[in-house]
Amino acid sequence: MPFDPLIVVAVVGLAVISLVAIAGATSDDIPGAPDYFFTRQLVYFLVGALVALVFWRIDYSRLREIKVLCYGLLIASILLVTAFGSVARGSRRAIDLPFFSFQASELGKVLLIVSLSAFAVEMTRRSADRRVTARLLLLGLAPAALVMLQPDLGSALVYVAITLTILLIVGVPWQHFAAFGALTAVAVALSLLVLPAVGVNVLHDYQKERLTSFLHPSDVTGTEGYQQNQSRIAIGSGEKTGRGEQATQTRYDFLPEHHTDFIFAVVGERWGFAGAALVLSLYALLIWRGLRILTLAKNLYGALVAGGIVAMFLFQVFVNTGMTVGIMPITGIPLPLMSYGGSSLIASMIAVGLLQSIYAQGRKAASGKGRVLTIQ
Amino acid sequence: MMEAGDSSLLRPSGGPPVAPQMARRVAILGAIALALFAVIFLRLWFLQVLTGDQSRREALDNRVRSLPLAAPRGSILDRNGTPIVENRVATVLTLDPKQLPAKTRADANAWGQEMTAWLKEPRRTRGTAPPVPPPATPQVAQRYRRLAGVLGISAAAVNERVVRQLAQLPYANVAVKVDVPSSVRNYLLERQGEFPGVSVDQAYIRRYPGGVGAAQVVGAVGEISPDQVGSDEFRGVLSGGTVGQEGMERSYDRYLRGTDGTRSVTVDANGRLKGQRVSREPRPGNSLRTTIDAGLQKQGEAALASAISGAGTAGAFVALDPRDGKILAIGSAPTFDPAERARPIATQAEYERRFGEAAGAPLFNRAIGGSYPTGSIFKPITALAALEAGLITPDTPINDPGFLKVGEQTFTNAGRQANGTVSLRRALQVSSDVFFYSLGRDANPLEGQVIQTWARRLGLDRPTGIDLPGEAPGTIPDRAWRATQNRREIAWEKRTGKRCPPDCLYSDKRPWSVGDNIQLSVGQGDVQASPLQMAVAYSALANGGAVVKPHLGAAVESVTGRQIEAIKAPPSRKVKIDPTARQAILDGLHLSTVEDGTSADVFRDWDQDRFKLYGKTGTAERPPRPDQSWYAAFVNDPARPIVIVATVEDGGFGAESAAPVACSMLSRWYRQSASCSPGGSRTR
């Protein structure tokens, strides 16, 4: 089975940096258990690697056959979490299993990619049809709307990004995008300005504060402003080569969530611009390979899945790092493959496995035709 | 390779790998990715490379708090290096402000700002100080009460200390009580659960080994007052710092103080201590070597204490080296234990009881701040003036029938005792008032008021310039002085519309008269001088005309005892004294300590051959109080000359209480064993 070694390089590189960063940043978090987060993240990585191996070995195309099941699972898991999940910081996002708190919206990202791509492939004959676009949009936005209720704005935005990218790749006309854009603008205006004025609040206050606090970073009084300011200080104080063991911002708890949402700030503080740039480069490598695999896919389904995965990674990386450097709002989006957390990590590893599968299938198909691909 | 149902826009089998439309859209996706990465890269470059140093500073500010680290104060040593004041490490009981509700700090901060504003207002119009806020919650009040109970102070005092210190240093532990006994410390530390946030720290406090005394001279340290912060005198001392506030602690503060260090405390986001490090070592203050002789000082204190345990109520002594003004001993009674004064005192009433008027104002240094009529110890000055002015020669006889009638007034000797015809030497020996009355009478019409002139030449009527705060200038009355007093009295009466009462500050608006001059000639009336001033005047007689500047500072030494800077004796002022006149006076002063001299019986077993003594008793009338006893003496020993002036308020005749004090000190100084019992002379 062929595989893309550069993706392996990127993933292993990110995994190693993630583990070292988490080990350093969390050593004081739980008294008496300095390795708590490190050990768990290591296990998640190993499990994730196994999962990725499994997905690499199977033919991703067979997932098309279970698209309804996948989609159903996506919706059901979100509903289940919304109804019975454990509450963490005011929102229900996870189901507590023994040893593991399962965050359904993370796996949902992959489920959405797999199922929505399958639906899109089926409808491609009429891809210029408005109704097709509308139906695909509806399929993508329904889970987004549902996770909004948890409330999990970040995942909802990722779902939207995935949906739009799949629509882009599948060839939806630009006019449809324009129309959708206009509708979105109206909806945002309604939800942020008009409806609150008449007493209906679509977004929670904290969500609004999160979305707007990065616009006035000097106001560091609120929790959100505080986090973002401390994150900016952490990253900035890393300067060119980082503060190494002197990285007090993250170690001394000035920056909350340093092992999850703000892991990039830990990297920025400990290893400076060099470290942060390395991490970004590894993501860029991953994205580039994803786009490359998109073009190598043996079928449209593979291309759409690869496109969705690229969108998922790209959007999360940009929003998360953008948040830590203070140019994007705080939305609770983890940094894929780096933030501490099993659900996100395993979902990301499934995506990596799928990319490898698409690569492998594409290569096999090409060699099966007797063509030698010289390009990677 | 494509499945049958795939769209036409996908790549045709065997053709180019990707259809053009999809290739375009993938390119768009790639371009978006590139743009997004570029944005993050540029932002990182800006944050980390262009403005990273600023963030680095912010990160350091985040975690590092600077707290002062007190420098040990230098010791004060006697002339032989015996410590009079040194440091002791004391246990300070502290309270961690993090263990108090946030409101406590907020309240303290608000109060601190009110206080600052209040201090900026003019003293007369600002009214009472803003009240200290009460404990933030009933729980905190309860904690204060429990802690106060264990420490033996009031809960209000605990609260006030917490508020005051938090207003100044919001992150530092609050020193609740300094110098806690180890039993109390252990009790509290073993019950951390009941007393949350209580811990111990160390501080340097002053200790006074050997009971040398000189409490008023040594002075005291105290927290710098808001008015003093930023003054030239205490440059570089931060609010809350400790400085010398009285006595030598104050006048030599800049040497003794040292430089506080800084302790950098690393804290996490919750203010928990993560580590600390001394970022600047405190530089201990230097020691001050003084001119004081600890043994002589102790002897003087003891003799004076015994004098005021009898008839006397208060007193002072000064012993100095007549050659250069080095102060060998200086004391004031009643006195106090400086260690006790260093401890916080609970209430104003308690303070008054210990240090107030009722306790005899023990903080007042009578040796330099007391202004008294000097009585007959002034007579040598009158004699010198008369001799220098040519009024008399050393042998001019004057009849002393026991009284002198001048106009309407009659001036008498003590007990109207008649001394017959006396010349200067005999007049000093028996302290004939009438002899000096007639000099005062005859000097009055002379040009330039010679007695006053000579008194001033010898250092009276102005501060001596000793290196201690709180010196009184004294008074030598003359025509101009009386005119000024009368003017002031009239102005005062005009301003207040009241009559100046008989004991008012001024006088009764009468002009200068010969009676004033007669009173002055025997150190009575309006003349006022401190024991120190008299010691300086007698030094000039002893050394033949050098008016010394008395001083206590001898050298500045490092902690290890190495001399850093010698404090040079300030130059003396030279006065030309006719040697024969001086000799006649010295003869008289010596005679007064022998034979039937006024202090002869006090010094009856004094070794006059080895240590020829010159002395003069004084008995100042201070109606309605009992007489004030004075004694001035000197020995011109070539190796260890000394001038001693002692006074005992309400001590009666000079020979009764002051002369024994001086005698006792002289015995100590020359290792004699004179009995120094009170003399029976009933002369002034």
Side-chain angles (χ1 to χ4, degrees):
Chain A
M1 287 287 276
F3 66 98
D4 187 339
L6 286 180
I7 286 190
V8 175
V9 168
V11 170
V12 169
L14 290 169
V16 169
I17 294 174
S18 163
L19 287 170
V20 178
I22 286 172
T26 62
S27 56
D28 290 349
D29 282 9
I30 300 177
D35 298 332
Y36 178 85
F37 290 106
F38 170 79
T39 316
R40 305 202 111 202
Q41 183 78 345
L42 182 63
V43 170
Y44 297 151
F45 263 117
L46 295 177
V47 172
L50 279 175
V51 172
L53 274 175
V54 169
F55 275 85
W56 167 53
R57 302 292 299 191
I58 63 168
D59 184 352
Y60 66 92
S61 301
R62 296 178 60 188
L63 293 171
R64 264 185 75 186
E65 295 156 19
I66 53 163
K67 62 176 186 286
V68 178
L69 178 68
C70 287
Y71 194 78
L73 202 62
L74 164 66
I75 301 294
S77 67
I78 294 171
L79 288 177
L80 208 64
V81 168
T82 312
F84 304 111
S86 59
V87 178
R89 289 185 214 95
S91 73
R92 293 180 189 277
R93 294 185 183 178
I95 295 176
D96 284 325
L97 304 174
F99 312 113
F100 189 70
S101 164
F102 176 67
Q103 207 168 336
S105 58
E106 292 297 331
L107 191 61
K109 291 167 187 169
V110 179
L111 288 173
L112 180 68
I113 292 168
V114 169
S115 55
L116 193 64
S117 300
F119 288 123
V121 168
E122 250 169 32
M123 298 178 192
T124 45
R125 277 188 195 288
R126 296 164 289 140
S127 66
D129 192 329
R130 263 197 319 258
R131 278 174 302 178
V132 169
T133 308
R135 204 178 295 171
L136 286 175
L137 261 177
L138 202 66
L139 282 170
L141 295 187
L146 286 176
V147 291
M148 277 281 282
L149 295 176
Q150 288 184 353
D152 183 354
L153 184 63
S155 294
L157 291 173
V158 176
Y159 290 178
V160 171
I162 289 168
T163 305
L164 290 177
T165 309
I166 288 174
L167 289 180
L168 177 79
I169 302 297
V170 87
V172 166
W174 292 115
Q175 300 94 304
H176 295 181
F177 280 105
F180 176 70
L183 274 174
T184 310
V186 171
V188 167
L190 271 178
S191 61
L192 284 182
L193 301 170
V194 181
L195 289 178
V198 296
V200 181
N201 278 307
V202 181
L203 288 173
H204 290 265
D205 280 345
Y206 86 94
Q207 287 177 319
K208 268 186 272 184
E209 194 201 317
R210 277 181 164 192
L211 287 172
T212 54
S213 72
F214 79 104
L215 295 174
H216 35 86
S218 56
D219 175 20
V220 294
T221 47
T223 316
E224 311 300 334
Y226 171 82
Q227 287 186 357
Q228 209 144 32
N229 190 47
Q230 294 297 347
S231 170
R232 184 186 57 70
I233 292 173
I235 290 181
S237 70
E239 299 190 65
K240 290 187 189 100
T241 55
R243 304 174 70 192
E245 292 306 306
Q246 306 299 314
T248 50
Q249 278 294 100
T250 41
R251 271 198 28 219
Y252 289 163
D253 236 9
F254 289 103
L255 185 61
E257 301 296 328
H258 42 250
H259 57 303
T260 57
D261 290 357
F262 284 94
I263 187 82
F264 190 66
V266 175
V267 172
E269 188 185 19
R270 282 195 75 176
W271 296 296
F273 183 75
L278 174 66
V279 167
L280 279 184
S281 305
L282 291 174
Y283 281 118
L285 180 65
L286 187 64
I287 302 287
W288 170 53
R289 291 319 295 171
L291 287 170
R292 190 72 206 137
I293 286 167
L294 191 166
T295 63
L296 289 176
K298 71 175 179 185
N299 54 18
L300 177 62
Y301 183 60
L304 291 180
V305 170
I309 290 170
V310 165
M312 177 182 87
F313 281 144
L314 178 61
F315 185 78
Q316 296 195 85
V317 168
F318 176 73
V319 175
N320 180 281
T321 56
M323 165 186 82
T324 59
V325 297
I327 57 170
M328 289 298 280
I330 295 178
T331 42
I333 291 178
L335 188 59
L337 296 169
M338 284 206 65
S339 284
Y340 172 83
S343 304
S344 160
L345 192 52
I346 287 171
S348 299
M349 289 306 268
I350 291 174
V352 169
L354 282 172
L355 277 182
Q356 291 286 26
S357 175
I358 296 164
Y359 177 86
Q361 296 298 320
R363 290 292 299 271
K364 261 165 77 177
S367 59
K369 295 275 183 195
R371 281 198 297 130
V372 178
L373 283 181
T374 50
I375 43 164
Q376 280 228 318
Chain B
M1 68 175 212
M2 305 311 290
E3 287 172 38
D6 278 321
S7 160
S8 59
L9 54 79
L10 287 180
R11 58 194 121 152
S13 186
V18 186
Q21 190 199 354
M22 193 202 250
R24 214 165 40 236
R25 296 208 162 187
V26 170
I28 289 170
L29 195 55
I32 291 173
L34 199 65
L36 295 183
F37 274 103
V39 166
I40 300 293
F41 263 105
L42 285 174
R43 177 66 179 169
L44 277 176
W45 181 264
F46 172 77
L47 274 186
Q48 300 191 290
V49 178
L50 299 182
T51 62
D53 50 343
Q54 187 188 328
S55 297
R56 178 73 62 98
R57 273 199 303 278
E58 285 183 69
L60 290 176
D61 286 350
N62 242 344
R63 66 180 180 98
V64 180
R65 314 238 184 282
S66 283
L67 299 177
L69 195 58
R73 215 174 151 78
S75 302
I76 297 179
L77 313 169
D78 94 331
R79 64 206 300 260
N80 303 311
T82 309
I84 303 173
V85 186
E86 57 186 16
N87 284 313
R88 176 165 68 85
V89 175
T91 304
V92 180
L93 199 94
T94 65
L95 199 54
D96 182 355
K98 311 281 170 5
Q99 298 281 343
L100 296 169
K103 187 171 182 297
T104 304
R105 197 178 306 172
D107 285 352
N109 186 33
W111 178 81
Q113 282 169 2
E114 277 177 51
M115 198 69 192
T116 312
W118 180 78
L119 281 168
K120 277 187 189 141
E121 282 177 43
R123 208 173 268 273
R124 264 181 297 147
T125 58
R126 65 189 180 191
T128 52
V132 173
T137 64
Q139 289 78 19
V140 172
Q142 174 65 29
R143 275 169 63 188
Y144 288 174
R145 273 197 295 278
R146 276 212 309 272
L147 194 57
V150 175
L151 295 175
I153 54 180
S154 74
V158 173
N159 180 51
E160 185 173 339
R161 255 165 245 175
V162 170
V163 170
R164 271 182 196 283
Q165 291 186 48
L166 284 186
Q168 283 175 348
L169 294 167
Y171 294 99
N173 282 357
V174 173
V176 180
K177 192 173 187 210
V178 178
D179 204 14
V180 181
S182 59
S183 57
V184 171
R185 182 192 67 187
N186 295 342
Y187 178 88
L188 288 171
L189 290 184
E190 281 161 13
R191 289 164 182 77
Q192 290 267 306
E194 294 167 52
F195 300 97
V198 167
S199 63
V200 291
D201 205 346
Q202 290 188 333
Y204 297 101
I205 61 170
R206 291 309 233 178
R207 70 183 288 255
Y208 304 86
V212 174
Q216 301 89 351
V217 176
V218 160
V221 295
E223 191 175 311
I224 188 166
S225 76
D227 303 349
Q228 290 169 334
V229 174
S231 65
D232 280 351
E233 185 180 2
F234 300 116
R235 191 184 297 278
V237 182
L238 298 177
S239 178
T242 299
V243 294
Q245 292 287 22
E246 293 161 21
M248 277 192 285
E249 294 273 22
R250 179 157 191 174
S251 41
Y252 287 97
D253 183 68
R254 65 186 181 283
Y255 298 111
L256 295 167
R257 193 196 303 142
T259 312
D260 284 355
T262 315
R263 185 170 42 159
S264 295
V265 178
T266 308
V267 294
D268 72 3
N270 298 315
R272 282 184 301 245
L273 191 70
K274 283 289 178 180
Q276 56 178 323
R277 148 183 93 81
V278 175
S279 50
R280 190 161 53 110
E281 288 285 349
R283 270 223 331 270
N286 293 318
S287 297
L288 175 70
R289 177 76 73 110
T290 66
T291 57
I292 287 179
D293 183 283
L296 185 66
Q297 179 74 33
K298 269 179 169 169
Q299 184 81 19
E301 301 252 355
L304 187 61
S306 93
I308 70 162
S309 71
T313 55
F317 62 84
V318 175
L320 45 82
D321 185 329
R323 294 171 297 189
D324 52 11
K326 281 195 186 81
I327 291 183
L328 304 171
I330 178 165
S332 175
T335 186
F336 58 95
D337 178 0
E340 201 168 296
R341 173 149 167 74
R343 285 186 209 114
I345 289 162
T347 61
Q348 185 66 28
E350 174 73 3
Y351 181 89
E352 285 297 326
R353 196 181 63 72
R354 287 191 190 171
F355 303 114
E357 291 285 341
L363 301 181
F364 179 45
N365 187 354
R366 290 169 167 82
I368 63 168
S371 288
Y372 305 114
T374 65
S376 299
I377 68 166
F378 190 84
K379 283 175 181 166
I381 299 171
T382 307
L384 182 61
L387 289 166
E388 290 278 352
L391 265 183
I392 53 164
T393 68
D395 304 308
T396 306
I398 292 177
N399 184 38
D400 174 6
F403 64 92
L404 179 70
K405 220 168 143 60
V406 178
E408 300 290 290
Q409 281 178 289
T410 304
F411 300 87
T412 62
N413 281 345
R416 276 191 172 247
Q417 182 195 335
N419 292 309
T421 300
V422 293
S423 62
L424 177 64
R425 290 180 177 85
R426 179 69 183 158
L428 283 171
Q429 182 178 26
V430 299
S431 200
S432 157
D433 283 346
V434 169
F435 181 88
F436 289 95
Y437 288 153
S438 50
L439 296 187
R441 177 197 60 199
D442 299 344
N444 191 47
L446 291 185
E447 192 70 26
Q449 298 192 294
V450 288
I451 301 174
Q452 287 86 342
T453 304
W454 274 97
R456 290 188 184 118
R457 277 188 191 157
L458 295 183
L460 303 185
D461 207 19
R462 77 181 100 171
T464 63
I466 187 177
D467 46 356
L468 279 181
E471 207 187 341
T475 305
I476 296 297
D478 60 10
R479 275 196 185 82
W481 175 84
R482 161 111 357 243
T484 309
Q485 291 300 101
N486 289 343
R487 261 204 315 282
R488 281 188 189 161
E489 182 172 349
I490 291 161
W492 185 88
E493 287 186 351
K494 214 177 213 166
R495 201 173 61 240
T496 60
K498 284 188 282 193
R499 286 257 323 153
C500 204
D503 61 341
C504 91
L505 195 62
Y506 309 118
S507 63
D508 38 9
K509 285 180 276 188
R510 60 180 174 79
W512 178 262
S513 72
V514 66
D516 288 314
N517 220 41
I518 290 172
Q519 293 281 17
L520 172 67
S521 67
V522 295
Q524 287 291 158
D526 295 313
V527 64
Q528 291 204 310
S530 68
L532 180 68
Q533 284 176 313
M534 293 314 292
V536 170
Y538 270 77
S539 292
L541 284 175
N543 65 31
V547 181
V548 295
K549 194 174 260 191
H551 59 278
L552 288 150
V556 178
E557 294 177 359
S558 73
V559 188
T560 55
R562 190 174 48 82
Q563 179 167 316
I564 292 172
E565 185 186 332
I567 300 172
K568 276 212 297 215
S572 306
R573 182 164 50 82
K574 296 290 183 295
V575 176
K576 202 169 172 309
I577 295 177
D578 176 30
T580 49
R582 171 174 172 266
Q583 194 52 54
I585 293 166
L586 259 56
D587 290 346
L589 291 178
H590 174 63
L591 286 172
S592 94
T593 68
V594 295
E595 300 161 9
D596 63 343
T598 50
S599 55
D601 43 2
V602 178
F603 290 96
R604 61 181 163 274
D605 43 8
W606 184 257
D607 187 352
Q608 294 279 6
D609 298 330
R610 271 184 73 193
F611 305 108
K612 188 173 182 186
L613 180 66
Y614 306 89
K616 184 74 199 81
T617 53
T619 308
E621 294 175 2
R622 299 176 70 190
R625 295 175 60 172
D627 290 349
Q628 176 162 349
S629 171
W630 283 90
Y631 197 73
F634 57 88
V635 175
N636 267 337
D637 181 67
R640 309 179 80 206
I642 191 171
V643 172
I644 293 180
V645 172
T647 186
V648 179
E649 292 181 43
D650 310 317
F653 289 97
E656 250 179 308
S657 44
V661 172
C663 172
S664 156
M665 292 176 72
L666 285 166
S667 295
R668 164 89 197 190
W669 186 245
Y670 292 114
R671 297 188 181 82
Q672 298 287 298
S673 50
S675 58
C676 300
S677 51
S681 166
R682 292 290 175 264
T683 51
R684 291 172 190 149

